[in-house]
Amino acid sequence: MDKYYMDVALHLARKGAGKVNPNPLVGAVIVNDGKIIGKGYHESYGKAHAEINAFKDAETELIEGSTMYVTLEPCSHYGKTPPCVDQIIENRIKRVVIGMVDPNPLVSGKGVKKLQEAGIDVTVGILEDKCKKLNEVFIKYITKKKPFVVLKTAMSLDGKISTTSGESKWITDKEARENVHILRNELTAIMIGIDTVIIDNPELTCRIPNGRNPIRIVVDSNLRIPYDSKILQTAKKFKTIIATTEKARKEKIHKLKDLGIIVIETKSKNEKVDLKDLMHKLGNQNIDSILLEGGSTLNYSALESGIVDKILVYIAPKIIGGMKSKTPVGGSGISHLKDAFKVRELSTSIIGKDILLQGYIEGDES
């Protein structure tokens, strides 16, 4: 039954999506004599952890001698909340089943050790792969202090992201677009290139009820962003970052800052924003995840620089054609097939009338 109860904990953990970043998603279940007597999950950043919420849920039940199932190793250090292991020990839990050990190298294994020293039976690794997949963003961020980058694109069956005239709205259907807004809610930031701003003039907000608007990031090496763009017009309402190079015009930088924009200057790589350097700087600003909705040029640069972790490709059952119609990945491209960007763990699903392909980029340095 360990897998069954851990699966319940995983479903609980997912409820915190979009609310706990940069903390992990965690669910906890307390079981006594084959009955679930308490359930909890980490509901929002800075608030009580899953284990504490499970204890609160079970306050009228018999906790002593129970088994607790938790998707991530209980914390053993003081952060924004007291250590959960202390509460587990004080409540006389008999057994703790853990999905995965905390990937944070500063605390990894210490929670398990403290529980065992208190005489509690500890089992680790139940549905571990599912637990790791659930917290792939947290694992990347806590171990490398850089954001987990998801490259998203939408195209026709013949691999086009726009028509010969440049029209791109909308290639995919309503359900696929709604799915993207869920991603905008769950990931901390959204990043586009300056060409997308100039051509599409997007606002980059989340349009689901009670959704969280992502931090908006524009890669603009030469600070070409128009003052009348929706991004700048709403900068005081939605947190916005513009990434440029150290060679950018200081006068415009000052004007952008006056509008409430955060301007990040990176090293210049071929007179463009150094995306690796940018990831380090964004990580230092507690940005743990990015939805990359760039055009073909930025997509290629992101893949080439090795910052992309995951790729989502929405495919519409349409054929556009045209030699000049853009494809999802442009740039200079590769010369030899052996150098192609390889995707692993590719999976397929249907969303409305469209197909979603998703997988992970092999060998990325990020």
Side-chain angles (χ1 to χ4, degrees):
M1 293 296 288
D2 284 352
K3 290 183 179 180
Y4 170 80
Y5 292 123
M6 186 60 70
D7 202 46
V8 174
L10 280 164
H11 281 287
L12 286 167
R14 292 187 186 99
K15 292 183 177 183
K19 302 170 186 174
V20 303
N21 308 63
N23 280 356
L25 296 166
V26 185
V29 174
I30 303 172
V31 178
N32 190 323
D33 196 25
K35 177 187 175 184
I36 294 177
I37 63 169
K39 296 187 292 186
Y41 66 97
H42 186 28
E43 298 177 9
S44 61
Y45 180 73
K47 298 289 181 67
H49 287 186
E51 299 92 324
I52 306 305
N53 285 330
F55 282 131
K56 290 178 180 177
D57 187 50
E59 60 184 353
T60 60
E61 301 279 357
L62 180 63
I63 296 175
E64 183 176 346
S66 299
T67 296
M68 172 174 278
Y69 293 83
V70 59
T71 56
L72 181 71
E73 176 183 12
C75 63
S76 57
H77 63 290
Y78 279 89
K80 289 186 175 294
T81 57
C84 290
V85 290
D86 291 351
Q87 290 292 312
I88 293 171
I89 293 168
E90 289 175 16
N91 279 282
R92 298 179 181 274
I93 291 292
K94 183 179 181 181
R95 180 178 178 237
V96 177
V97 181
I98 298 169
M100 62 174 283
V101 171
D102 192 329
N104 186 344
L106 297 177
V107 298
S108 182
K110 292 182 179 179
V112 172
K113 184 179 179 182
K114 192 168 184 179
L115 292 172
Q116 290 173 330
E117 289 176 346
I120 295 173
D121 180 19
V122 180
T123 301
V124 180
I126 302 299
L127 297 186
E128 184 177 33
D129 288 344
K130 284 188 176 182
C131 292
K132 287 182 176 180
K133 187 78 71 177
L134 175 73
N135 273 311
E136 57 190 10
V137 167
F138 174 70
I139 293 171
K140 164 81 179 287
Y141 183 70
I142 202 67
T143 57
K144 298 188 177 181
K145 197 60 178 180
K146 288 186 288 185
F148 186 92
V149 178
V150 179
L151 189 161
K152 167 262 166 185
T153 190
M155 67 181 190
S156 62
L157 276 176
D158 57 334
K160 305 296 185 179
I161 62 172
S162 66
T163 65
T164 53
S165 67
E167 183 183 348
S168 60
K169 293 183 179 179
W170 300 99
I171 288 179
T172 53
D173 224 354
K174 179 182 177 182
E175 289 85 352
R177 299 198 299 273
E178 289 175 347
N179 189 254
V180 172
H181 282 283
I182 292 173
L183 289 171
R184 289 186 181 186
N185 172 63
E186 293 181 352
L187 301 177
T188 299
I190 182 170
M191 186 165 80
I192 61 172
I194 183 58
D195 287 342
T196 301
V197 175
I198 293 171
I199 295 169
D200 295 336
N201 194 22
E203 197 168 47
L204 301 181
T205 54
C206 174
R207 299 187 187 98
I208 61 175
N210 302 313
R212 178 188 65 168
N213 289 309
I215 297 169
R216 305 177 303 180
I217 304 169
V218 178
V219 178
D220 186 3
S221 302
N222 298 308
L223 288 186
R224 294 188 290 135
I225 191 165
Y227 286 110
D228 62 354
S229 64
K230 290 180 182 178
I231 294 285
L232 295 194
Q233 293 297 313
T234 58
K236 292 187 183 297
K237 187 176 180 182
F238 307 117
K239 185 174 180 179
T240 305
I241 296 172
I242 293 182
T244 190
T245 68
E246 297 166 335
K247 298 180 180 180
R249 290 171 289 152
K250 304 304 176 186
E251 180 185 352
K252 189 160 186 178
I253 288 176
H254 292 314
K255 288 182 178 178
L256 291 174
K257 288 181 176 179
D258 288 341
L259 293 173
I261 304 284
I262 297 170
V263 179
I264 295 180
E265 299 175 58
T266 75
K267 301 172 186 175
S268 179
K269 184 177 181 181
N270 299 323
E271 299 188 358
K272 294 183 178 181
V273 168
D274 185 324
L275 294 177
K276 285 186 180 179
D277 186 38
L278 177 60
M279 292 305 110
H280 283 289
K281 287 180 165 64
L282 292 174
N284 290 334
Q285 295 214 13
N286 289 332
I287 294 177
D288 67 342
S289 51
I290 295 172
L291 178 63
L292 175 58
E293 290 198 40
S296 61
T297 301
L298 181 57
N299 286 347
Y300 181 78
S301 296
L303 288 165
E304 185 183 38
S305 63
I307 68 167
V308 179
D309 296 285
K310 190 173 185 178
I311 184 166
L312 304 180
V313 182
Y314 295 85
I315 304 174
K318 301 171 184 176
I319 296 175
I320 293 174
M323 291 292 290
K324 294 183 180 180
S325 301
K326 288 187 177 181
T327 59
V329 182
S332 57
I334 60 162
S335 299
H336 306 286
L337 284 174
K338 66 180 179 62
D339 299 322
F341 306 108
K342 297 178 179 63
V343 179
R344 58 180 173 80
E345 297 180 45
L346 189 66
S347 63
T348 309
S349 57
I350 302 296
I351 298 182
K353 296 178 181 178
D354 304 312
I355 299 169
L356 171 60
L357 297 178
Q358 56 183 315
Y360 298 86
I361 300 299
E362 271 190 10
D364 66 289
E365 70 79 38
S366 59

